[in-house]
């Protein structure tokens, strides 16, 4: 089937788009956008891929669901649109960056600037019904995003995977640590950040590793 996604990803994922589960998923998502309020906006469902073509991927950060509040989700894990209050988990991410690299907390929680440097900000589920967290789970998105992670793992080398929280760590359990750097920590949410996210220095570790791979580090 014809899915509007960035060209390099289109080639790599085309076989997924032809599978029955994805056709069922596409039908479900289309019906939801027609009958319900769904986030992110339809033209930003694949924003993570548009902003970070396959050839550019240097870092993968796995999230779970898009934000389900008004005007928050922009198709990138942990990210919000410009002008939207920075959510607590993202504030904690920025605090760790400050502690790790000395960078002040940014004025915006829009992480497009990371994506355009090669950070794939991938949620496990790419859509959600407004005000209803987890409402689009187990509809096929997880199988699709597993395939995305698998393709990066298989076809690239020297990628940094940041797996925060048990869900992300389970999703990335098959990543080959002989050819990639896998960084694991507690989730940055206020409920868990003090129990193994703060102090992990993932951002400097990622940049040090990227340098060893001959890649330009990320300006976090």
């Amino acid at each position: 089937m014809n899915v509007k996604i960035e060209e390099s990803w289109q080639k790599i994922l085309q076989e997924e788009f032809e599978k029955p589960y994805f056709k069922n998923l596409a039908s479900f998502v289309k019906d939801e956008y027609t009958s319900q309020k769904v986030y992110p906006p339809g033209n930003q469902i694949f924003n993570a891929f548009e902003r970070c073509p396959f050839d550019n991927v240097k870092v993968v950060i796995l999230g779970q669901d898009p934000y389900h509040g008004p005007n928050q989700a922009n198709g990138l894990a942990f990210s919000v649109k410009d002008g939207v209050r920075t959510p607590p988990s993202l504030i904690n991410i920025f605090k760790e960056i400050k502690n790790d690299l000395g960078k002040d907390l940014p004025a915006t929680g829009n992480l497009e600037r990371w994506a355009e440097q090669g950070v794939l900000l991938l949620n496990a589920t790419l859509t959600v019904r407004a005000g209803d967290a987890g409402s689009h789970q187990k509809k096929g998105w997880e199988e699709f995003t597993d395939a995305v992670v698998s393709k990066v793992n298989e076809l690239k080398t020297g990628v940094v995977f940041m797996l925060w929280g048990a869900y992300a760590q389970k999703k990335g359990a098959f990543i080959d640590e002989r050819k990639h750097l896998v960084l694991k920590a507690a989730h940055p949410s206020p409920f868990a950040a003090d129990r193994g996210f703060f102090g992990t220095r993932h951002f400097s570790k990622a940049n040090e590793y990227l340098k060893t791979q001959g890649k330009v580090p990320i300006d976090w």
Side-chain angles (χ1 to χ4, degrees):
M1 63 187 299
N2 185 27
V3 176
K4 291 182 180 178
I5 193 171
E6 192 276 334
E7 186 177 359
S8 64
W9 287 106
Q10 177 81 51
K11 293 175 183 175
I12 285 167
L13 297 170
Q14 185 58 44
E15 62 185 27
E16 291 301 309
F17 301 145
E18 302 300 333
K19 292 180 179 179
Y21 88 86
F22 193 89
K23 293 180 180 180
N24 291 336
L25 169 64
S27 178
F28 166 78
V29 170
K30 185 177 180 180
D31 288 347
E32 283 285 287
Y33 273 89
T34 301
S35 62
Q36 306 288 336
K37 181 68 175 175
V38 178
Y39 299 125
N43 63 358
Q44 293 187 325
I45 294 173
F46 294 115
N47 197 27
F49 304 92
E50 297 296 330
R51 299 284 177 176
C52 185
F54 180 80
D55 291 345
N56 294 359
V57 176
K58 296 188 285 191
V59 179
V60 178
I61 298 179
L62 294 181
Q64 192 162 355
D65 258 18
Y67 297 115
H68 55 82
N71 300 314
Q72 288 182 299
N74 67 349
L76 307 176
F78 293 103
S79 176
V80 290
K81 295 179 181 179
D82 288 323
V84 175
R85 180 181 293 180
T86 304
S89 291
L90 186 52
I91 288 175
N92 285 339
I93 291 169
F94 289 154
K95 285 180 178 178
E96 175 61 15
I97 291 171
K98 181 174 175 62
N99 292 336
D100 187 4
L101 299 171
K103 294 177 69 74
D104 289 335
L105 273 63
T108 177
N110 190 335
L111 302 181
E112 289 178 351
R113 63 189 183 279
W114 290 5
E116 288 165 359
Q117 295 178 75
V119 182
L120 180 65
L121 294 155
L122 182 66
N123 278 319
T125 304
L126 299 189
T127 55
V128 67
R129 196 180 287 186
D132 191 2
S135 50
H136 286 188
Q137 291 178 4
K138 299 180 180 176
K139 303 294 185 182
W141 277 132
E142 294 92 341
E143 187 170 349
F144 172 71
T145 52
D146 281 350
V148 172
V149 176
S150 181
K151 290 293 187 184
V152 175
N153 175 60
E154 175 189 345
L155 300 176
K156 297 183 74 75
T157 58
V159 173
V160 181
F161 290 85
M162 294 184 174
L163 308 180
W164 300 332
Y167 184 92
Q169 288 165 27
K170 183 177 179 181
K171 190 172 183 69
F174 63 85
I175 295 165
D176 187 349
E177 298 190 40
R178 295 168 299 179
K179 50 187 290 203
H180 303 291
L181 177 64
V182 178
L183 299 174
K184 300 176 184 177
H187 195 277
S189 80
F191 304 105
D194 287 326
R195 301 197 301 272
F197 178 76
F198 290 133
T200 53
R201 302 181 67 86
H202 277 187
F203 303 95
S204 60
K205 289 175 181 176
N207 279 352
E208 288 163 10
Y209 177 78
L210 291 174
K211 289 177 187 175
T212 71
Q213 301 297 307
K215 300 177 183 180
V216 177
I218 306 298
D219 181 4
W220 299 105

